Amino acid sequence: MKKVSPTPGNYGYWFLSRLTLGLFILCSLAEVGFELFSLDKASGLIKGLLVPLLMMNTLSLIFRDRGEGAAAWAVSGAMVFHTAGDVLLELGSGMFIWGLAAFLVGHVIFLVYFIRRLGKQHFPGNMVWMIAAVLAVLAGLWIAPGDEMVLPVVLYSFSLIYYLSVGTAGLLEYSRSQSKGEETCTLRKPAFLYIVVGGILFILSDFLIALSVFKGADIRFGGALVMATYLGAEFLLSRGAWKLSLCRAVPVEEYGDENKEENFDE
């Protein structure tokens, strides 16, 4: 991989990527701490800043490394809707369904980009979609049995489990390409691994919320656990989008080889 260093052409993005990452980490630690000690007012002051900071960090990385423009649009769209979801959920239980809808739209935007970057699928990677559908239905029936929320829960669960499906399919396809000696971008493996782990963390975060909302469970340090897993999920999904944005052909006029791929690291 090519190490990206600050140059006159990318110094602004290089500096912004480090500044926003530092602020995101500090604010995330503060938010988890506020949730841990039930400091609700302090928590509400910074919760709406977390995802926008991460969005700015990811966009600065994509622009710094001349990544694919579609990734920038996907990250922007998904994280704007996730921020809206955070704000709506803070307004009270009456806005729960609207917050859920905002998060669902954000997930769909992320997934459309990830699926687009999967490319042609082969067995067994092309079978993971059916597994996701079955698991989503089972999750909805268990969380909200006989409730009017069962369909929204099934749709939302499907979007979360789809992250695992996309990531798993990507890893299987990467392994197949490697075993056959086919050329492939080496960043695809960590990108899809980030998506898998990010999906798992999102499932854990929203599972804890579902236990509280639908089952009335009182989970010790539940708020802190929800925020820690949620922020970890957002971070890993955005990192997956960034890595995938770099797996593209480099223009001939820049490098003289239209089939060469750019691989970057922070």
Side-chain angles (χ1 to χ4, degrees), residues 242-262:
W242 167 49
K243 294 286 187 183
L244 286 177
S245 79
L246 305 181
C247 291
R248 59 178 178 80
V250 179
V252 178
E253 61 269 20
E254 291 188 35
Y255 294 96
D257 182 358
E258 62 180 342
N259 295 316
K260 185 177 179 180
E261 289 180 325
E262 281 186 297

Side-chain angles (χ1 to χ4, degrees), residues 32-262:
V32 173
F34 293 152
E35 291 286 351
L36 192 62
F37 294 103
S38 301
L39 301 175
D40 296 336
K41 290 185 178 180
S43 171
L45 290 175
I46 65 171
K47 185 174 291 185
L49 299 175
L50 295 170
V51 175
L53 280 172
L54 183 58
M55 179 180 72
M56 291 175 63
N57 173 256
T58 308
L59 291 177
S60 65
L61 291 173
I62 294 172
F63 294 142
R64 182 197 71 180
D65 300 339
R66 293 170 296 166
E68 184 184 32
W73 284 107
V75 168
S76 299
M79 291 193 162
V80 164
F81 276 99
H82 285 177
T83 300
D86 281 332
V87 173
L88 289 169
L89 292 177
E90 280 293 298
L91 296 178
S93 58
M95 301 299 292
F96 180 80
I97 188 65
W98 294 107
L100 192 71
F103 269 103
L104 178 59
V105 173
H107 293 322
V108 170
I109 293 173
F110 257 145
L111 287 167
V112 167
Y113 177 69
F114 293 151
I115 292 170
R116 173 178 169 271
R117 296 312 309 269
L118 267 178
K120 185 178 180 181
Q121 292 297 291
H122 301 80
F123 182 84
N126 55 6
M127 300 296 291
V128 296
W129 320 107
M130 290 187 290
I131 299 173
V134 172
L135 291 177
V137 171
L138 293 176
L141 293 175
W142 180 78
I143 292 172
D147 192 286
E148 62 181 8
M149 287 291 292
V150 66
L151 181 58
V153 170
V154 167
L155 292 175
Y156 189 80
S157 300
F158 192 39
S159 70
L160 294 183
I161 298 171
Y162 234 60
Y163 284 126
L164 305 188
S165 300
V166 170
T168 301
L171 290 172
L172 289 172
E173 188 62 24
Y174 178 83
S175 178
R176 188 198 70 83
S177 298
Q178 290 287 294
S179 66
K180 291 183 174 294
E182 299 174 357
E183 290 189 12
T184 185
C185 176
T186 57
L187 290 179
R188 289 176 67 84
K189 182 177 180 180
F192 286 116
L193 184 60
Y194 290 159
I195 293 168
V196 168
V197 180
I200 291 172
L201 289 179
F202 235 126
I203 290 171
L204 289 175
S205 178
D206 287 350
F207 178 70
L208 293 172
I209 294 175
L211 287 179
S212 176
V213 173
F214 295 104
K215 301 296 183 180
D218 184 14
I219 303 169
R220 185 176 174 82
F221 305 128
L225 290 173
V226 166
M227 287 308 301
T229 50
Y230 165 60
L231 293 172
E234 291 281 10
F235 179 83
L236 290 173
L237 291 176
S238 67
R239 282 305 188 263
W242 167 49
K243 294 286 187 183
L244 286 177
S245 79
L246 305 181
C247 291
R248 59 178 178 80
V250 179
V252 178
E253 61 269 20
E254 291 188 35
Y255 294 96
D257 182 358
E258 62 180 342
N259 295 316
K260 185 177 179 180
E261 289 180 325
E262 281 186 297

